[in-house]
């Protein structure tokens, strides 16, 4: 959801308004938790697996709450800020992330007869590139991987990634270009962002 979309919802306060209100009424911050918990949780599950997702997302909201006075209320959307906090927390788990990619490279997924034909076909296509995708993700520089996954799995724009990682938009563009080039080389004609369900 873009900042413009957030700001255009008259029935719902913007994230910036929620954060501003939470300065005097700390319980108001719970609205951000309700809005973004599931999105952040899915992202961590894809990167690190379900075992640490709940704790990491909880920690991210705790950090956000403690630093809410530093949020730029000129930005209506808090998603990039929250993903930035979360990405820093994920960086402490680089070894776990690399191990997850190695496990995904070796693992297999069995389809069942009950699955619809399209779902089975999609699963088989994803599994065909899964080892190469996991290997390619593991081989990326940490900064390049963060940018690629924030774009592909968190659906953040260049500008939002720039805010999340506190880097210039030009750096986002160059890291994303480099990461996509390496992923394409590793996967041939397969688009790594279309195989995002591999970590679900």
């Amino acid at each position: 959801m873009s900042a413009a979309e957030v700001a255009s919802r008259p029935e719902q306060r913007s994230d910036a308004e929620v954060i501003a209100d939470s300065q005097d009424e700390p319980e108001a911050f719970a609205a951000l938790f309700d809005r973004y918990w599931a999105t952040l949780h899915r992202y961590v599950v894809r990167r690190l697996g379900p075992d640490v997702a709940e704790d990491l997302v909880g920690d991210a909201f705790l950090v956000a709450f403690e630093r809410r006075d530093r949020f730029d209320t000129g930005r209506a959307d808090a998603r990039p800020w929250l993903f930035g906090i979360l990405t820093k927390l994920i960086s402490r788990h680089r070894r776990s992330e690399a191990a997850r990619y190695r496990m995904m490279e070796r693992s297999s997924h069995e389809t069942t007869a009950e699955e619809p034909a399209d779902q089975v076909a999609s699963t088989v296509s994803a599994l065909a590139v899964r080892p190469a995708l996991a290997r390619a993700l593991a081989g990326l520089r940490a900064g390049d991987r963060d940018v690629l996954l924030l774009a592909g799995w968190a659906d953040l724009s260049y500008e939002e990634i720039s805010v999340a990682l506190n880097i210039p938009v030009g750096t986002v563009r160059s890291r994303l270009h480099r990461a996509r080039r390496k992923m394409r080389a590793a996967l041939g004609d397969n688009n790594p962002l279309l195989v995002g369900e591999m970590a679900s």
Side-chain angles (χ1 to χ4, degrees), residues 54-139:
E54 193 163 321
D55 288 341
L56 266 181
V57 175
D59 289 348
F61 276 105
L62 181 61
V63 170
F65 179 78
E66 291 170 350
R67 297 182 184 171
R68 68 193 188 281
D69 60 324
R70 299 183 208 169
F71 178 75
D72 177 4
T73 53
R75 300 181 183 278
D77 186 359
R79 241 174 15 119
W81 178 62
L82 291 170
F83 271 109
I85 292 168
L86 188 59
T87 299
K88 285 181 182 141
L89 294 173
I90 287 172
S91 72
R92 298 178 189 163
H93 293 265
R94 293 286 184 215
R95 275 190 239 156
S96 299
E97 186 173 30
R100 178 165 169 77
Y101 294 141
R102 286 192 301 272
M103 178 209 60
M104 287 167 30
E105 190 177 346
R106 293 188 306 264
S107 71
S108 62
H109 174 80
E110 294 180 12
T111 59
T112 62
E114 290 82 30
E115 291 181 275
D118 288 346
Q119 185 178 348
V120 172
S122 174
T123 300
V124 168
S125 295
L127 290 172
V129 297
R130 185 178 196 167
L133 178 57
R135 193 169 36 253
L137 283 171

Side-chain angles (χ1 to χ4, degrees), residues 126-182:
L127 290 172
V129 297
R130 185 178 196 167
L133 178 57
R135 193 169 36 253
L137 283 171
L140 291 176
R141 293 180 191 166
D144 292 354
R145 184 169 51 242
D146 287 340
V147 168
L148 179 71
L149 297 181
L150 284 170
W153 287 351
D155 199 28
L156 296 186
S157 68
Y158 291 162
E159 292 75 16
E160 289 170 330
I161 295 169
S162 170
V163 170
L165 300 180
N166 196 27
I167 57 176
V169 171
T171 303
V172 171
R173 290 179 190 280
S174 62
R175 286 184 183 180
L176 191 55
H177 176 74
R178 183 171 50 237
R180 285 178 171 159
R181 190 182 66 236
K182 288 181 179 180

